[in-house]
Amino acid sequence: MRTLGYEFLRQSLLLSAFPLKRPAREFAVTKVGPAETSLAVPPHVAPQDDDPVSHILFALKHEGTNLQVLSEALPLIDAAVIHSHLTAAPSSAYVRLLCYLWEAFNHRQLTDIPVIGGANVPLFDPKKYVTGPAVRNARWRVLFNGLGSLRYCVTVERTPGVQQALAADLLGRVGEFLASLDTVAMDRALAWAYMHETESSFAIEREAPTQDKASAFIALLRQAHEPRTLDEDYFVELQNTVITNPYERAAAYRHEQNWLQGPLKGAAGVSYVPPSPQLVPELMGELVGLIWATQKTVDPLVVAAIASFGFVFIHPFMDGNGRLSRFLFHHALCQSGKLARGLLLPVSVAMKRNEPAYLATLQQFSVPARERWKVLWVDEGNYAFEFKGSESIYRYWDATACVEFGYRMAEQALEIDLRKETEFLARYDAVFKAVDAQYDVRGSDLATLVRCSLENDGRISKKRRKQYQYKVPAEVLDAIELAAQASLSGQDVDEDID
């Protein structure tokens, strides 16, 4: 079973690019198509030799565009080999893509090229990928339509999950839902969203925010609607907002190697190593450029996922990266113009509820990236890092799973968190009002009992009844249960419940 295309290049040229999710292999089939874990290729379609360029042309035609592999492979191929393929087929779309990318990744031009013909060809097939604004290269008649640039480019495949996200009009539904509420209900729902988004974002980092920290982070979330320029100064300002320890507040992007530590001891406990500090300013500049170039032309949920995960993969600060990455998710949604000022989707609440899936999505990048680093334990909390890969792994990455996950969390934030919390508050108001109209109960006691009954299917537990037996008469407890059960069953709560 012969390996072909990108996986052949990765193995034969000893590239550090990540293994392919569905590598191309030769099978006894009649046409190219997906197999269980591979792309099945018939013998007559497969490259007939081990010439790397033949496998590149095959991959561009049948596997799509993998810049992580191509950016490593093309600098290893001599210009004369590229020129021979160009001379043989100067108008071929795939040969033109080959030449365009060879020049880009070798930082020099081919000489003595023939007259180039043929229609403009996109670097990324819009039917296969989510694409960005197209920029024409007249020399090779190629349209660069990637998400980013040839120095930093993210791919998002049009999987069923991504297509569902693109068709969902989620932000439109958020606006419609909140517009259906009266002013008081909307203000309460958003107050809940801001507070619980803050608590959940800290909880993901295994922290419980103090009142000062919570207030600062809520103020940060409200900044997502402000049209500020995303640059190093602003990111430093944001980092200083979410970090209260003065020794951890940054003055610039990090100047030392960072890493994430898991539960194991020594080097085995290092679970992720972000790019070297020398690479951070350029990568952050490219990520910001991607965000600005796509925020009005690409679906906001796609941009939000790329911004959030891209930031945390770069890890530009020594601390605070996780919270800032989730802020960027909100920033992309707010800056798209499709989420009215002040509105917020509590996506971190959904992420906290789905923490294993969040971690698994991060690990699709962090685990293979960690394998490209040699880490030596020096002493407690001190390591020596040696990068054994290519920086291309940080420049060209697949965000498909990140977009799918981000969409699911945004969907849950609307349907489970915002909508259900609003329904809960409406039920709470109705039950509280009905009981308060008939009985004289201290407001704080009534609030607690109404909330507990609604959270317990309309019942007040024996433990709670015993707790309040000398403060609230049993008939009042019974009345709270009756009102809560009526509300939960969709009935109007009758104020005459005694």
Side-chain angles (χ1 to χ4, degrees):
M1 191 165 54
R2 185 165 158 248
T3 299
L4 311 169
Y6 289 126
E7 188 62 18
F8 168 84
L9 294 166
R10 199 183 73 83
Q11 294 180 14
S12 65
L13 299 178
L14 303 178
L15 307 181
S16 66
F18 296 170
L20 273 75
K21 290 182 288 187
R22 192 179 291 275
R25 292 192 173 95
E26 189 175 303
F27 283 86
V29 294
T30 58
K31 63 179 181 179
V32 177
E36 185 175 352
T37 59
S38 306
L39 179 69
V41 180
H44 70 277
V45 176
Q48 300 304 302
D49 53 39
D50 290 339
D51 172 22
V53 174
S54 298
H55 285 267
I56 291 174
L57 293 172
F58 165 86
L60 288 170
K61 183 175 182 179
H62 296 287
E63 297 184 81
T65 305
N66 186 324
L67 295 184
Q68 196 176 94
V69 172
L70 292 168
S71 64
E72 277 194 88
L74 286 170
L76 302 177
I77 299 173
D78 190 78
V81 177
I82 302 295
H83 202 279
S84 65
H85 284 270
L86 174 62
T87 303
S91 297
S92 164
Y94 301 108
V95 170
R96 286 187 282 129
L97 288 173
L98 167 72
C99 295
Y100 167 72
L101 292 172
W102 188 92
E103 289 188 342
F105 294 133
N106 282 276
H107 308 291
R108 62 191 180 96
Q109 290 190 339
L110 296 165
T111 58
D112 299 323
I113 65 171
V115 175
I116 304 300
N120 292 325
V121 56
L123 180 58
F124 293 93
D125 182 354
K127 295 180 180 179
K128 181 178 176 64
Y129 299 97
V130 177
T131 56
V135 178
R136 182 174 182 266
N137 178 280
R139 177 177 170 85
W140 298 108
R141 297 177 180 266
V142 167
L143 300 175
F144 177 83
N145 59 343
L147 300 172
S149 71
L150 279 174
R151 295 172 298 281
Y152 181 91
C153 189
V154 178
T155 52
V156 178
E157 292 188 38
R158 290 182 176 272
T159 61
V162 169
Q163 290 293 79
Q164 183 181 6
L166 296 174
D169 187 27
L170 187 62
L171 299 188
R173 287 160 48 204
V174 172
E176 290 174 4
F177 167 67
L178 291 173
S180 71
L181 306 177
D182 61 45
T183 302
V184 173
M186 184 174 74
D187 287 346
R188 291 173 68 187
L190 288 174
W192 177 92
Y194 275 96
M195 178 55 69
H196 284 75
E197 176 68 13
T198 297
E199 292 174 351
S200 295
S201 193
F202 275 86
I204 292 171
E205 307 296 326
R206 304 293 184 266
E207 291 186 43
T210 63
Q211 185 173 351
D212 288 345
K213 281 185 177 181
S215 297
F217 196 77
I218 289 172
L220 173 67
L221 290 174
R222 295 189 185 281
Q223 287 190 40
H225 285 278
E226 299 297 330
R228 293 282 300 273
T229 300
L230 289 176
D231 56 19
E232 184 173 3
D233 290 341
Y234 183 44
F235 280 121
V236 167
E237 179 184 325
L238 296 175
Q239 193 267 358
N240 288 186
T241 300
V242 302
I243 298 297
T244 56
N245 182 348
Y247 297 107
E248 295 294 344
R249 286 178 175 163
Y253 292 145
R254 59 181 170 88
H255 294 287
E256 57 186 294
Q257 186 60 54
N258 200 353
W259 71 92
L260 297 184
Q261 186 76 32
L264 299 178
K265 292 183 179 181
V270 176
S271 58
Y272 176 60
V273 185
S276 67
Q278 293 78 17
L279 202 55
V280 168
E282 181 188 353
L283 293 183
M284 284 300 299
E286 291 292 338
L287 177 62
V288 167
L290 185 161
I291 295 169
W292 284 120
T294 58
Q295 67 179 4
K296 300 296 184 183
T297 58
V298 177
D299 187 280
L301 283 170
V302 173
V303 181
I306 292 173
S308 179
F309 283 89
F311 183 93
V312 83
F313 292 154
I314 297 171
H315 238 65
F317 298 109
M318 297 304 291
D319 195 15
N321 297 288
R323 273 158 280 176
L324 290 182
S325 75
R326 291 183 287 277
F327 165 79
L328 277 181
F329 196 101
H330 295 293
H331 183 275
L333 298 185
C334 295
Q335 294 297 314
S336 71
K338 296 185 178 181
L339 199 62
R341 189 177 185 83
L343 300 190
L344 180 84
L345 264 179
V347 290
S348 292
V349 178
M351 288 179 178
K352 178 58 181 173
R353 186 170 55 247
N354 295 271
E355 202 164 357
Y358 185 23
L359 180 61
T361 304
L362 289 165
Q363 287 177 336
Q364 289 193 32
F365 182 87
S366 66
V367 170
R370 168 66 179 87
E371 293 170 354
R372 274 75 185 156
W373 285 86
K374 181 180 180 181
V375 182
L376 296 177
W377 181 80
V378 178
D379 52 39
E380 190 62 35
N382 190 16
Y383 300 89
F385 297 92
E386 183 181 1
F387 189 43
K388 295 292 189 177
S390 166
E391 64 184 36
S392 64
I393 67 170
Y394 297 107
R395 293 181 181 275
Y396 312 106
W397 55 280
D398 183 357
T400 305
C402 302
V403 171
E404 292 174 335
F405 175 79
Y407 165 69
R408 293 197 304 272
M409 296 306 97
E411 182 79 29
Q412 288 188 24
L414 171 60
E415 298 298 339
I416 295 179
D417 300 305
L418 270 184
R419 198 180 296 277
K420 287 193 174 181
E421 179 62 20
T422 302
E423 292 170 355
F424 177 87
L425 291 173
R427 292 191 183 101
Y428 171 90
D429 287 345
V431 174
F432 188 101
K433 181 180 179 183
V435 176
D436 189 53
Q438 296 296 316
Y439 299 99
D440 185 14
V441 184
R442 182 181 297 175
S444 58
D445 292 341
L446 181 57
T448 298
L449 291 165
V450 170
R451 178 179 56 79
C452 291
S453 66
L454 289 171
E455 291 175 346
N456 194 36
D457 296 325
R459 301 291 180 186
I460 297 175
S461 68
K462 291 181 180 180
K463 180 180 178 180
R464 191 70 70 180
R465 279 179 174 270
K466 184 176 181 180
Q467 178 185 352
Y468 282 89
Q469 62 181 331
Y470 300 118
K471 299 175 68 176
V472 180
E475 64 177 301
V476 178
L477 299 177
D478 293 339
I480 292 172
E481 284 190 340
L482 287 173
Q485 290 166 21
S487 178
L488 289 167
S489 64
Q491 302 174 34
D492 291 333
V493 179
D494 187 355
E495 292 185 9
D496 187 17
I497 55 175
D498 57 336

